[in-house]
Amino acid sequence: MEPEKPTSAGLERVRDKEGNDKGCWPSGKVADDCREADIAPILQKGQKEDLENYSPVSLTSFPGKVSVLTLHCPWTGPRMQREQMFNGSSITEFLLLAFSDTRELQLLHFWLFLGIYLAALLGNGLIITAIACDHHLHTPMYFFLLNLSLLDLGSISTTVPKAMANSLWDTRAISYTGCAAQVFFFFFLMPAEFSLLTVMAYDRDVAICQPLHYGTLLGSRACVHMAAAAWGTGFLYAVLHTANTFSIPLCQGNALDQFFCEIPQILKLSCSDTYLREVGLLVVSACLFFVCFVFIVLSYVQIFRAVLRIPSEQGWHKAFSMCLPHLAVVSLFISTSFFAYLKPPSISSRSLDLVVAVLYSVVPPAVNPLIYSMRNQELKEALRKLIQWTLHHQQ
């Protein structure tokens, strides 16, 4: 005897205690894969809001079909089988946070980000070209600065162009592959940049506090090895975090409350405790970043102590004007990124998360060229020669 087909009342959408729609049951319908197998969820006992109280029952006379196709039906009971319907492989795209619902404000955000992006491209591009073309700048400090500009170009190009395109075309979508690529390159470039900033602080510390040992401690081979270690650290971070994040089952939709694919926002979509692995990895990463930050601060303390022993006030002004802005940007980056990735969910809000993300992902790559060029006479002279050479060959 065939079981009675359930009514639409037995297929109401599941709601949690707060009344939020969980979206698990299409109202009055059966999931496509279950409909094709003539299977329907039947309430056996208890509350109809509890998924565990439903069992799949065949609507045909082929009972053997049930045992085979039940594994693909989201109403089989065990939690892991239900998660298979919502894991990352079933999501083809994510929806990023729109800056505004008003078209005029969307275009304003587009032009604002375009200005910041072009300034970052111009500033970092000029620094890279000047250092590469002027042999007087082929020193350890400028070698690290060239690498920093390359990382800045990459990091800001990972997030800002997609945000600009979404604002311009009035869309929020980013493909699953595109989101994974954003996470990978962001976690490749930003940790590499912070590692390089640590190396640059060490370089300045040795140059000012141990000038007689500078050539020995920071020879060409040592500089290449330190830069390679910074890039390698970023690559390792990227592989670990990307693989860990996108192996987590997702069942809370596909909307991210951020203008790029940020790991904490992706973890909010998780439907199992496996996200705790990524949280633990983020905490370990934060601890390592904090150790690097302490090293940077101690290096600058050593520099300031050495500078204060110089009787010339002009030397004081030059050293402080170069070091303090650098330290300020490093502090801004580490504080905002720590807040974004380690803050408790209770103090999270869309506007706050958006501002914090802009401060640690957009501001440093845009202002680093100003900090390292405006206060550096050698670099400004190299840029002046480069511009003169370019104008001369255009005439």
Side-chain angles (χ1 to χ4, degrees):
M1 181 178 178
E2 295 182 1
E4 182 181 354
K5 217 170 189 176
T7 63
S8 61
L11 295 173
E12 292 179 356
R13 297 175 70 89
V14 174
R15 297 177 180 273
D16 58 20
K17 295 180 180 180
E18 290 75 22
N20 298 318
D21 193 346
K22 303 299 289 184
C24 296
W25 310 96
S27 180
K29 299 180 181 178
V30 181
D32 291 339
D33 53 350
C34 296
R35 186 187 296 111
E36 292 173 2
D38 288 323
I39 297 173
I42 302 298
L43 180 64
Q44 298 294 320
K45 62 180 179 178
Q47 297 294 323
K48 63 183 179 182
E49 290 81 8
D50 189 353
L51 305 185
E52 300 289 347
N53 295 331
Y54 286 85
S55 295
V57 177
S58 173
L59 299 179
T60 71
S61 59
F62 300 99
K65 205 174 188 179
V66 179
S67 61
V68 176
L69 294 181
T70 292
L71 295 176
H72 302 287
C73 183
W75 300 290
T76 54
R79 179 179 183 182
M80 187 56 67
Q81 292 174 3
R82 291 199 307 274
E83 286 177 358
Q84 291 173 357
M85 179 181 177
F86 300 104
N87 65 13
S89 62
S90 66
I91 296 178
T92 58
E93 65 178 20
F94 291 93
L95 299 179
L96 300 176
L97 178 65
F99 284 101
S100 174
D101 295 329
T102 307
R103 187 61 185 150
E104 290 76 12
L105 290 178
Q106 288 178 346
L107 293 176
L108 177 62
H109 288 121
F110 166 77
W111 288 111
L112 178 62
F113 265 36
L114 179 62
I116 295 174
Y117 185 58
L118 291 178
L121 288 181
L122 179 62
N124 287 292
L126 286 174
I127 289 177
I128 293 171
T129 306
I131 294 175
C133 295
D134 193 335
H135 68 277
H136 294 101
L137 300 182
H138 293 177
T139 62
M141 183 180 74
Y142 292 107
F143 171 73
F144 294 135
L145 183 56
L146 184 146
N147 280 268
L148 180 66
S149 294
L150 288 173
L151 290 169
D152 281 336
L153 281 179
S155 62
I156 199 169
S157 297
T158 299
T159 57
V160 171
K162 181 58 179 176
M164 290 192 302
N166 283 0
S167 294
L168 181 62
W169 301 113
D170 191 19
T171 182
R172 298 174 55 196
I174 182 172
S175 67
Y176 184 88
T177 304
C179 186
Q182 268 198 347
V183 171
F184 177 84
F185 284 108
F186 191 78
F187 263 83
F188 172 34
L189 297 165
M190 296 306 282
E193 178 169 338
F194 196 73
S195 300
L196 193 65
L197 289 171
T198 307
V199 172
M200 293 176 70
Y202 172 72
D203 169 71
R204 292 298 84 204
D205 184 15
V206 174
I208 294 176
C209 301
Q210 306 177 58
L212 298 179
H213 301 283
Y214 187 75
T216 304
L217 297 176
L218 285 147
S220 299
R221 180 171 296 182
C223 291
V224 171
H225 287 168
M226 286 188 282
W231 287 84
T233 299
F235 182 78
L236 179 61
Y237 270 80
V239 171
L240 290 175
H241 285 284
T242 305
N244 218 12
T245 300
F246 288 92
S247 65
I248 297 173
L250 306 177
C251 64
Q252 304 295 328
N254 65 340
L256 304 177
D257 291 334
Q258 193 53 270
F259 71 93
F260 66 97
C261 288
E262 189 183 54
I263 287 182
Q265 301 300 329
I266 298 175
L267 295 182
K268 290 181 180 180
L269 307 180
S270 172
C271 54
S272 71
D273 293 336
T274 54
Y275 78 95
L276 294 175
R277 294 179 308 180
E278 177 60 21
V279 172
L281 190 57
L282 288 173
V283 171
V284 172
S285 301
C287 293
L288 294 177
F289 278 141
F290 184 73
V291 171
C292 292
F293 179 66
V294 171
F295 180 85
I296 292 173
V297 172
L298 293 177
S299 297
Y300 278 107
V301 169
Q302 289 288 99
I303 292 172
F304 293 150
R305 290 176 60 186
V307 168
L308 289 175
R309 289 196 292 265
I310 300 175
S312 172
E313 292 186 5
Q314 184 178 1
W316 294 358
H317 176 74
K318 181 180 179 180
F320 282 112
S321 63
M322 289 183 63
C323 295
L324 287 178
H326 179 203
L327 190 58
V329 173
V330 172
S331 301
L332 176 68
F333 172 76
I334 197 70
S335 60
T336 52
S337 58
F338 270 36
F339 182 81
Y341 284 84
L342 300 179
K343 71 179 184 303
S346 59
I347 61 174
S348 178
S349 69
R350 286 186 176 183
S351 57
L352 178 62
D353 292 346
L354 181 61
V355 171
V356 170
V358 170
L359 288 177
Y360 79 81
S361 65
V362 178
V363 172
V367 302
N368 276 339
L370 296 175
I371 292 176
Y372 289 103
S373 63
M374 296 301 292
R375 300 290 185 178
N376 192 308
Q377 293 297 328
E378 291 181 329
L379 189 55
K380 286 196 291 186
E381 181 65 20
L383 289 173
R384 186 184 63 81
K385 291 179 180 179
L386 177 63
I387 294 172
Q388 288 179 346
W389 182 86
T390 304
L391 294 176
H392 175 72
H393 281 74
Q394 287 180 346
Q395 294 176 355

